[in-house]
Structures are given as C-alpha cells and as structure tokens.
Amino acid sequence: MAKHVVVVESPAKAKSINNYLGNDYKVVASYGHVRDLRAKEGAVDPEQDFRMTYEVIERNKKHVDAIASEMDNADSLILATDPDREGEAIAWHLAELLREREKLEGKPVYRVVFHEITKTAVQEAVADPREISENLVNAQQARRALDYLVGFNLSPLLWKKVRRGLSAGRVQSPALRLVAEREQEIEAFEPTEYWSIEADLAAQTGGDEAMPFTAQLVEAEGDKLEKLSIGDSERAEQLRARVEGAATDGALSVSSVEKKQRKRNPAPPFTTSTMQQEASRKLGFPVSKTMRVAQQLYEGIDLGEGTVGLITYMRTDSVNLSTEAVEEARQIIGERYGADFLPEQPRAFKSQSKNVQEAHEAVRPTSPSRHPETVRDKLDKDQARLYDLIWKRMVAGQMSHALVDTVTVHFQPEPGWRLKASGSTIAFSGFLKVYEEGTDDTAEQKDNRLPPLAEGDRPWLQQVRKEQHFTEPPPRYTEATLVKQLEAYGIGRPSTYASILSTLQDRGYAELQNKRFFVTDVGRVVNRFLTNHFTDYVDYDFTARLEDELDAIARGEADWKPVLHRFWDPFHKQVAEKEESVTRAEVTSEPLDEQCPKCGSQLEKKLGRNGQFIGCSAYPECDYTRPVEGEAPEPEVTDKKCPECGQPLAIKHGRYGKFLGCSAYPDCKHREPLEKPEGTGVTCPECGEGEIQAKKNRRGKVFYSCNRYPKCKYAMPNPPLAESCPKCGSGVLMDKTTKKYGREKVCPNKECNHREPFPEEEQEVAAQGGADTPAEEPEPAEAKSDS
C-alpha cells in the first residue's frame, strides 16, 4: 500500500500527478467540494455566534469514503487541492471529515499547492509542505456565510413581493443592477444630430497612381470645432461650400506637417478576467467555456510522452511571472525573432488590484518553449485556440516595445479655417509581431496611411462632403465588458465571474441576445425592488468594501465573526422591516404619467405572468390593459407557405413571443414555432405515437414535449432517455444533473421516486472542468429543487 495519500480535486489532475510521484504515493480525487452548508434554514445561526452546520455533499460521499479507506494503511495525508481560497476550504473540510471518522490519529496532515502541473512543480511542492491556512479557511467560511444569509433572507422576500422561485444574492444583485442601469441609460437616451465636413484628397506617391486620403474640418471662422459644433444640415452646407470655394485650382495647400514617434508597450500576461475578456473578443468564447477549456489545459493533456499541464492555474488576479518562465520566454524570443525584439531587461508588470494574491502567477504557458504549433495536433480546436492566445500574450509581454510613426497634416485654405488629416505607420513592430490586445465596443484603431507630404504641397481636391451623424447610447454589456466592469468595481473575485454571469441568466434576470445582455421584465422589477429598498446591499462601493474585508480576513488582518456581525445586524433588521411595510402591488407596479383612456384613473406598468404590461390602477373595477410597447406590430410576411392552405406564413407576435401563423387567419388558423424543435428520437410514453422534441419557452429555456401537441400534452423538464423505469414501468427516464446528486437517470413520473446514478465513467466526465466552481448565493430551503 502507498505510504502517502495525495488528494486533488479532479480525476484528470490525479492522473497527471500520478505520473510525477513514485509508488509511495497514491493520488485520489475529491471531485470538488466534499462538504457544504446544510441546505436548510438555520445552517448559519447568528444567535450562536454564526455557528455553521455542514453536511457531506451527497454526490461526493462515495469519494470521501474512498479517501477514508485509503487512509487506513497510509502514513500521511497530503492535501493538494487548488491554490486558492476555495481549494483551501476543500482541504480543511476533508481533513475535518477524516478526523471525525478517526482516520488521522497519529498521522500528519500536509497542505501543498502547485500553480502548474509539471513534474518539477509537483515534486517541489510535495517536498515543501505547509499547514492548512486558518486565515484562508476563515475568509472562505465568512464568504459562504454571507452568501447564505443574503440568499436565505432576501430570496423568500422576493417570493412574497414579486414571484415564487426568484433569488437574490450578495454578488448577483449588484451585477443585475449594472445590466439594468445600462438598459435604463439606453432607453432614456435621446440622440443628438451633428455633422462633419470632410474633404477627399489625393496626392502622387512617386508611382503612376495617386493615393487618396481624407481631411476633416477642425477649425472654422477662427473657432475650434468640437464633435457637436455643427448641429444642422444648413450650417453644414454653409461650411462645406466655404471650404470648397476656398480651394484654388481644385487643390488644397499643405500649411504644416507634424511628425512624431511614439512607443507602444505590450499588455501584461493574463489574469482570469483579462483572459475571459480577450477570449470573448478574439475567440467568441463565453466566459464559462473559457474557464472549462482553461481547466483542461491546466489539468493536463497527453502529449505522447505522458500527461502534461500546459498552463498555470487559471484562477488568479496576479500578473507576476516566475524568473524561470521569463528567462525561457526571452530565450525563445531571441531565437525566433532576433535580438532587436528582446529588451535589455525583463519586463515586470504591476497589478492594479490592492488585494492581488501575489503568491500566484499570471495565467501563462508552463513552458514558453512549447510553441502552439508543436502541440496543435494533440489538442482539440478550442484547446488549441486558447493555448495559442495564452502563449502569445505571455511571450509578447516580454518583447520590445513597438515604434509607431504618426503624421498630422494641416491645411489652411484661408485664415481661421483649418483641415486636418492624420495617419500612422508601424516603424518597428516589436511585440506586435506576435500579439495585439483587442478592444471593447469601439472600432479598432486602424493605421491610416498618408502619402508623403511636405509644407507647400498641393494635393488635389476630389470633393468636399457633409456627413450627418447621431450620438449613440452606451452599448449593452457583453460578457467581456461586464466582467471588466465587475472587476473595476471590485465585485466578485476571479473564481466567481463565470458563476455570476450564468446566475443572471439561469434566474431569468438577463438574456444574452447577439452576445449582449438584455435585462428581462422580471430582472427590472427585482432590480427596482432591491435598489429602492436595499440600497446599501446593491451599492457597488458597499459590495467592494465587503470584498476588501474578506480579503483582510484572508491576510490575517481581521477576524471573520465581527465582519459577519457588522453585516448581519442592520441587514436582518431591514429585511424584517420591509417584509411588513412593502406591499406586493407596490413592488410589481410602477406608476406612469398617463391616464386610463377607459376610466381616467392613473395607468401603471405591471408585472404579470407573461412579463410587463400597461394596466389601470383601478383594477378590478377597470380592466383596461395594453402591451408595454403599444399595439403589436404588423405581421411580417415570409416566403414560407402554409402546409394547410398554401397561403404565405407570417411572423406574428403573441403573448408568448414571436411565432409563425397563416396570413389567411382567421380562415386558416395554422401556427407553428418560429424555431423548429429538435428531435430526440425518443417515442412519447403517453401517446405512443409522437416523438419527444427539445423546445424553448418564451424565456429561451429548453424543455421536452411531444411533437403531437396540442393533441398530446406530455412534457418533461430534462432530456429523455429511451429506457423504461424499473420501478413504475414508465416508458422513459430523464437525464438529470443536480448539485446534490450529480448526474442521474430519474423517472419523470411524479408519483415514482426512482433515481439511479449514471455509470462511474460518465460521472467522471461530468466532473471535468467544473469541480471547483464555487456555489454562489443559496436559495431558501423551500426554493431548492433537484432541477
């Protein structure tokens, strides 16, 4: 038997580390968290000095049993869970469970961390263990307690005042506020008209063809023109005509030329958030996908000579790099690109966050000498693309700066009038030879080229144009820009960004459309309720200060229970007060400055079962209602034909959203969904004729029902399996995954409680890449369900 049991979080990581340790070590996986707060009210008891009641997570109980069994004949326990606060908490929970089972008596417990899964890093970590950090554990307990207390107190209040099934959270709620406030800015925005005057010019470059370029009017009648200086077409035409008339012999004379050279420095290596942002911009990856693929690269890929971790730990807010990695990168730069691309001294980057965990490194390749091309055939497409991005970012960060020549040409057709043309060229590419950082929500700056011009040159004028523009509202958040804003406000931490974004969507508070976040009707109402009645707790600064206090606990600078008391006492009092003083109608209705056309009472925007609508405040005496957007738009006729009567189908708007309906309605009442459902190949167990199809409800959530609807109304919430229930004989089972039980085969019959786990190997696949994603804010006990 092995003398030392080493515990990591995922089975993939266990396989990698087994390659680096000898026969004296047995590496096993905990499959993520092993213990969590009891899923009932009272698991955190403020009256008992915040006593916390934990229980083993059901789906991982068998893995805890396996670890306990291995400890029977082992000499020591080495806890090698992830190198962050979540990993520290998992190590502590596991040690506590094994002590309760009396498996650790007389046996030392060691804590080791490695930020990359390579032979050197693993062996060095095992050779230099430490104790479990009480400070990190306390910080994680405080975070978990806060999330629990907010979830189990605010969520029931939302059930009573808005709608059942809703939730609120310490971090989720400020994130919702960001999305909702951006939507309010867009709706309140009034575009402003403005004009620009542009001259299209051309000049010889020494060849047969002339080079065209554009100059813009920046000064008129002695006044500098700002963006909104020209406000209407008439004024724009006056200025356009004046410029055109000032051109002599169809040309404009160059009055001066300014030439400058500026340096561009590379971006620092990736942190979690910048990796998520850049993968979203350049690769189109959702944040959750970025983290899943990064976890695979971190845990290890079989390169032919064994499993190797390709990147360092991917949950980090540090931009530090090890001396060895920097030296290796510099060697690669010198060999591949030459001495000109290698700065005299290695570059060091400084994090902007005061709470950065400096013991960590940035996300980087474990070996910069492992070029993306050399491993491409060993990776799948997504792994190869993300590894390429991480490698380029890190290597480019150690390269020479780029030199950019900028040229500004001025034209002064007459005193007090000036046009300007600007351009730039890359004099020396430096780090740009490898990588250039992307940008958010703005057009990438192009290096506009200008012909060689000198004072007195006269490029000919092709035309003078007046161009109409309108100011635009701020753009809706993408995943990348929302993560960037969360980080800027100090909301959340590297391990929580992905779960924050997914929670907003899972709760139905926001939807991603064309990669932009749109707040839903429910999200608006919940945000208004929380912002109006719990202002402090969705305040960005308050949330950031609370994160700072948690970080102080982790550094050993603060005790965790006083932090909980300072939060809980006023929060609990406010929840009790709002439960008594705020009515449901007040929360779900918003008065409008408009009278009811039917009875003259005030109109309100109300939240109903199917979203918001306009209704009379005198209801039920007056039943006037209308859609929020006014009357439904006219149907849009398509080129598709009705299968029943042959008339064109039209895109129509109903209470559940858009659908295809016959243009001959009401003579023909055929209708069908706008998006065709996907078949599953499973026969409907109720009618025995139809096929179970994957469909979407109006909120975009997938469900499964018979394709013979409305003749057959059979439906289920999870994917069907063509297997009969061994207990009740139901013709199908469901493929269902929950936090409590993991992935199971479950009977859809409500009267039958049959459930069975998937085979072990399929459970292992499900655990890959997501085992250590932290649970966010909890729901109240009665809100929890296995779905």
Side-chain angles (χ1 to χ4, degrees), residues 323-339 341-347 368-369 394-395 397-400:
T323 302
E324 294 80 7
V326 170
E327 288 303 317
E328 189 175 339
R330 285 175 60 83
Q331 182 178 348
I332 295 300
I333 293 166
E335 293 173 356
R336 276 185 166 266
Y337 307 106
F341 290 85
L342 191 64
E344 291 185 9
Q345 297 296 327
R347 289 188 183 276
S369 62
M394 184 266 177
V395 171
Q398 292 302 316
M399 295 176 71
S400 300

Side-chain angles (χ1 to χ4, degrees), residues 231-284:
D232 57 68
S233 178
E234 183 178 350
R235 174 60 173 161
E237 177 57 30
Q238 292 173 356
L239 298 178
R240 189 204 67 78
R242 181 69 174 267
V243 172
E244 189 173 65
T248 57
D249 300 326
L252 288 179
S253 179
V254 176
S255 58
S256 64
V257 178
E258 298 176 9
K259 295 183 179 180
K260 295 180 181 178
Q261 190 172 82
R262 59 186 177 88
K263 296 179 180 179
R264 282 187 61 184
N265 289 318
F270 282 136
T271 61
T272 300
S273 70
T274 55
M275 178 180 67
Q276 291 170 346
Q277 293 167 49
E278 198 74 335
S280 175
R281 300 183 194 110
K282 290 184 178 260
L283 308 181

Side-chain angles (χ1 to χ4, degrees), residues 32 55 100 117 144 186 239 374 460 495 561 600 687 770-771 787:
E55 62 183 6
E100 290 174 7
I117 301 178
R144 191 71 186 91
I186 293 171
L239 298 178
T374 65
W460 62 86
S495 62
K561 291 189 176 178
C687 68
S787 59

Side-chain angles (χ1 to χ4, degrees), residues 696-751:
K696 287 184 178 180
N697 64 17
R698 67 188 187 87
R699 294 189 179 91
K701 188 173 182 179
V702 177
F703 68 100
Y704 301 84
S705 69
C706 183
N707 66 346
R708 296 181 66 243
Y709 178 87
K711 293 180 180 179
C712 177
K713 297 183 179 181
Y714 183 81
M716 61 173 65
N718 302 103
L721 299 169
E723 300 179 29
S724 297
C725 175
K727 186 172 182 180
C728 72
S730 169
V732 296
L733 293 176
M734 295 191 300
D735 181 348
K736 188 173 184 179
T737 302
T738 63
K739 286 186 176 181
K740 185 175 183 180
Y741 297 108
R743 191 180 181 195
E744 296 180 301
K745 298 177 181 180
V746 179
C747 181
N749 186 351
K750 293 182 179 179
E751 286 71 36

